[in-house]
Amino acid sequence: MLVKQISVFLENKSGRLAEVTKILGENEINISALSIADTTDFGILRLIVNNPEKAEAALKDNGFTVSCTSVIAIGVSDQPGGLSVALDILDKESIGIEYMYAFVGRPGDEAYVILRVEEPDRAIEVLTKKDIKVLSSSAVYEL
Amino acid sequence: MIWNKEAECLTRKEMEAVQLERLKDVVKRAYENVPFYKKRFDEIGLKPEHIVTLKDIEKIPFTTKNDLRDNYPYSLFAVPMKEIVRIHASSGTTGKPIVVGYTRRDMENWSESVARLIVAAGGSDEDIAQVVFGYGLFTGGFGLHYGLEKVGITVVPASSGNSERQMMLMQDFGATIIVGTPSYVLYLSEIAEEMGVKKGMHKLRLGLFGGEGHTPEMRAEIEKRWGILATENYGLSEIVGPGVSGECIHQCGMHINEDHYYPEIIESDSGNTLGYGQKGELVLTTLTKEGIPMLRYRTKDITILNPEQCKCGRTNVRMNKVLGRTDDMLIIRGVNVFPSQIESVLVGMEHIGPHYQIIVKKKGYMDDIEINVELIDGKMLERYSELEKLENEIRHKLKTVLQIDAKVKLVNPKTIERSVGKAKRVIDLRNQ
């Protein structure tokens, strides 16, 4: 159920982000979710792609500092309070969320969210138990 | 005004007689009391008695900053420690500082040397001087302090920093002279402006600047902003600290106290002595120093010597403002910084690559140093705090070694320019 996420270090310099997307495009890698946060000096770009291994290798070959980690993807109902139900479960179980972000596109009446949590395996267990939809990695890569 | 006519207005012949007598004496003392010099002399079969004329100084091997480093801390001292009354230090090419020691008579000669340049610049016992150099191991603060006292000037040892307070003290205590690095005093003028302190609300009339060089444009700016005469003086810890030379009110070269510090100009690569008017590396020999005599010390500073008598009446040789360096030493906010020191911190650190670039800029009028390093370890990307921790760790280590705060910037791998020859480690944008 764990989904592979690519993190890319970007120094604050114009053209860096475009370079990343160009490399992915040339390698026919599709981005299904992304998030970028920055400080004044640098940023970290986080990506969910259809072929994480290939993306990691391509970016490394082009001189980027890259890491690959596991995150979970959940589907929640796309209506007020939808996300809160899932986060409430994690909070009650004292599972901390390091960061989260939403998908670029979403099919149907569900919203998909990527979560980076302290204990991913236990998070999947408690969420599934409470009927929150946890997406399989193959399902996510195909989005 | 001339502080010591007998030393500052000698004929060339008289000066040379004084220099030769003192040179013979210092060579003898160095040879007999410092194993380092004895070894150097013995290796080439040189004896103190071979120094018969001033020209014979050229037979003596050069001394360098590395020699001071290799003999850290006290091995070049020529007197027992109980004779030493003061220690100062400045940064060396590696983490260890360069250490110098002064006897009581050295302190006396040091104050005398500084007193001369203060009076040459127009200072007198009517003045009140605010010293905004940092006090401590750095020779700038104490060097000027003792010289000012010797002239009879009221000294306000404000030290550096706390700029608003500096402005308050300057107005309340009525300082007429300010002593510090040009960049800090320019910065202070910005603070003054912000505080609404205008010309006429302070009594400054004269600035004594040292610790770092400054361009003629920067001098003009300081003079305009403060409404003062800005004079430059020169020195280095290895020789004595400030007091080697200083400008008079005519601002046409720095008068060298050559009865204490014997100047030569050499061609840097060959080591051959050059004549007056020729540009080359300044080499200094301490003629009177007891604590740590320096024979033919290579300053790495490039300048030109001028023996013509000055309009002020002084006959001692003048040196041009320093035109550059033969090594890659940077002077940042008055502190000596070597790229090799930065390298020693960075190389071997986890998560980052061995390449780095040092960028020096002016932020307002202050020097600002930024160090770019390549982040090569992807493991750090999970948390921002990890990256910030890494930046802070590098910054802290640099501060320990350099004594100044440097900004650290993580950059993408392989973005720092590689070079097949000498790497361009330093980009100095201060004069642009």
Side-chain angles (χ1 to χ4, degrees):
Chain A
M1 301 294 259
L2 291 174
V3 177
K4 288 219 163 98
Q5 170 195 259
I6 305 288
S7 298
V8 190
F9 175 80
L10 297 173
E11 69 186 272
N12 252 359
K13 210 172 177 184
S14 62
R16 284 277 167 222
L17 188 55
E19 215 179 314
V20 172
T21 52
K22 184 161 175 270
I23 291 163
L24 296 177
E26 280 168 1
N27 285 277
E28 296 185 334
I29 292 161
N30 193 31
I31 303 169
S32 45
L34 66 83
S35 144
I36 186 163
D38 67 324
T39 67
T40 46
D41 291 332
F42 59 82
I44 300 174
L45 173 68
R46 305 196 194 279
L47 298 165
I48 303 295
V49 296
N50 58 351
N51 190 340
E53 287 80 15
K54 194 176 173 191
E56 187 181 358
L59 290 168
K60 271 191 181 156
D61 286 348
N62 281 281
F64 282 92
T65 302
V66 184
S67 76
C68 186
T69 43
S70 295
V71 294
I72 59 177
I74 57 168
V76 295
S77 65
D78 189 10
Q79 59 185 37
L83 181 58
S84 134
V85 176
L87 299 189
D88 209 36
I89 295 164
L90 294 175
D91 183 40
K92 286 211 171 79
E93 291 290 331
S94 301
I95 296 173
I97 298 168
E98 279 162 26
Y99 52 83
M100 58 179 281
Y101 52 97
F103 271 62
V104 179
R106 53 189 170 78
D109 55 0
E110 276 186 322
Y112 292 161
V113 175
I114 293 288
L115 294 171
R116 165 75 183 168
V117 293
E118 284 160 356
E119 301 163 88
D121 292 322
R122 198 160 72 86
I124 291 170
E125 191 191 314
V126 301
L127 288 167
T128 318
K129 214 184 275 174
K130 297 274 183 182
D131 294 328
I132 301 288
K133 181 174 171 188
V134 179
L135 282 72
S136 72
S137 53
S138 54
V140 170
Y141 300 153
E142 276 159 25
L143 283 170
Chain B
M1 275 293 293
I2 293 174
W3 175 254
N4 186 343
K5 274 211 172 79
E6 283 179 28
E8 297 176 81
C9 303
L10 296 177
T11 64
R12 187 65 8 217
K13 219 176 141 193
E14 289 167 331
M15 177 58 83
E16 286 177 354
V18 170
Q19 288 173 328
L20 180 59
E21 188 196 328
R22 291 180 173 180
L23 177 66
K24 286 179 181 172
D25 178 60
V26 72
V27 167
K28 189 164 180 289
R29 281 189 287 113
Y31 183 80
E32 286 171 0
N33 299 305
V34 185
F36 164 82
Y37 284 121
K38 182 171 191 311
K39 188 163 165 276
R40 281 274 170 98
F41 275 51
D42 289 348
E43 276 166 6
I44 54 167
L46 186 65
K47 295 268 176 248
E49 49 271 29
H50 294 159
I51 308 299
V52 180
T53 67
L54 275 179
K55 181 97 181 134
D56 290 334
I57 196 172
E58 292 171 24
K59 295 175 181 165
I60 301 173
F62 296 115
T63 306
T64 65
K65 204 183 256 284
N66 275 346
D67 296 325
L68 278 144
R69 188 194 67 198
D70 295 344
N71 288 283
Y72 174 87
Y74 297 149
S75 299
L76 289 183
F77 287 14
V79 297
M81 280 309 285
K82 71 179 177 82
E83 307 282 322
I84 299 288
V85 299
R86 176 76 64 78
I87 294 290
H88 277 286
S90 74
S91 49
T93 48
T94 60
K96 293 280 189 200
I98 295 301
V99 181
V100 292
Y102 302 75
T103 65
R104 202 168 293 283
R105 185 180 291 167
D106 289 338
M107 291 301 298
E108 180 52 39
N109 285 333
W110 188 14
S111 316
E112 160 73 21
S113 305
V114 177
R116 289 183 197 167
L117 68 88
I118 291 165
V119 172
S124 81
D125 56 7
E126 305 282 334
D127 281 302
I128 298 172
Q130 187 161 338
V131 180
V132 301
F133 269 134
Y135 278 69
L137 287 173
F138 171 54
T139 48
F142 280 105
L144 264 296
H145 182 108
Y146 279 66
L148 290 161
E149 270 189 10
K150 191 164 185 73
V151 176
I153 292 167
T154 310
V155 186
V156 182
S159 199
S160 57
N162 205 342
S163 305
E164 280 81 12
R165 191 175 148 86
Q166 297 278 9
M167 286 313 303
M168 181 192 82
L169 296 179
M170 185 189 294
Q171 293 177 82
D172 294 353
F173 293 0
T176 53
I177 296 177
I178 188 154
V179 178
T181 60
S183 56
Y184 184 61
V185 173
L186 249 184
Y187 172 70
L188 263 187
S189 73
E190 293 180 313
I191 300 294
E193 204 168 280
E194 277 168 30
M195 291 171 70
V197 178
K198 296 188 176 64
K199 278 184 211 170
M201 291 165 74
H202 63 78
K203 292 190 176 132
L204 282 194
R205 62 173 195 85
L206 173 64
L208 298 168
F209 297 109
E212 64 187 14
H214 56 292
T215 59
E217 294 76 27
M218 192 161 162
R219 184 215 293 265
E221 186 69 20
I222 293 175
E223 292 189 323
K224 190 179 87 189
R225 282 174 164 257
W226 285 107
I228 62 175
L229 177 78
T231 61
E232 184 177 5
N233 57 76
Y234 171 86
L236 59 167
S237 317
E238 297 91 316
I239 297 303
V240 68
V244 172
S245 65
E247 281 181 328
C248 66
I249 51 169
H250 301 292
Q251 300 174 311
C252 53
M254 295 182 276
H255 293 272
I256 301 178
N257 287 312
E258 50 172 328
D259 54 329
H260 290 292
Y261 321 106
Y262 182 79
E264 296 171 85
I265 294 288
I266 62 162
E267 207 238 322
S268 205
D269 293 334
S270 66
N272 293 338
T273 309
L274 300 175
Y276 290 133
Q278 285 181 286
K279 188 162 114 177
E281 181 180 340
L282 178 67
V283 170
L284 291 166
T285 298
T286 61
L287 296 175
T288 51
K289 205 116 165 272
E290 296 177 332
I292 177 166
M294 281 288 126
L295 303 183
R296 302 194 86 202
Y297 184 76
R298 292 186 67 151
T299 65
K300 307 268 183 187
D301 286 323
I302 312 258
T303 187
I304 298 169
L305 298 182
N306 171 11
E308 284 165 37
Q309 182 171 5
C310 181
K311 277 181 278 188
C312 70
R314 288 174 183 79
T315 54
N316 47 12
V317 167
R318 279 170 283 159
M319 60 182 270
N320 249 8
K321 70 163 31 273
V322 173
L323 303 164
R325 298 266 312 164
T326 63
D327 65 6
D328 50 5
M329 185 178 91
L330 294 163
I331 301 182
I332 294 166
R333 290 174 231 150
V335 177
N336 298 350
V337 172
F338 291 90
S340 55
Q341 290 175 293
I342 293 171
E343 190 167 312
S344 71
V345 170
L346 298 179
V347 173
M349 269 194 90
E350 272 190 280
H351 315 301
I352 58 170
H355 294 275
Y356 62 92
Q357 198 155 46
I358 302 160
I359 297 163
V360 193
K361 286 184 281 202
K362 282 265 179 233
K363 195 174 180 182
Y365 289 110
M366 291 290 276
D367 298 336
D368 199 42
I369 180 167
E370 180 179 291
I371 295 158
N372 288 351
V373 290
E374 294 177 353
L375 177 78
I376 54 166
D377 188 357
K379 285 200 292 291
M380 308 295 286
L381 294 180
E382 264 325 285
R383 292 185 189 87
Y384 269 99
S385 56
E386 291 290 320
L387 287 177
E388 276 166 1
K389 217 167 90 188
L390 177 66
E391 279 189 341
N392 285 335
E393 191 189 330
I394 300 171
R395 190 179 183 148
H396 178 77
K397 282 195 175 169
L398 286 171
K399 189 158 186 185
T400 310
V401 171
L402 304 180
Q403 309 297 328
I404 56 167
D405 210 10
K407 186 175 171 352
V408 173
K409 189 179 169 195
L410 297 174
V411 301
N412 278 89
K414 304 203 180 86
T415 52
I416 291 173
E417 198 185 315
R418 305 298 200 258
S419 162
V420 284
K422 198 171 153 51
K424 189 158 172 52
R425 297 296 195 200
V426 180
I427 298 177
D428 196 334
L429 303 171
R430 283 178 292 187
N431 293 325
Q432 291 182 8

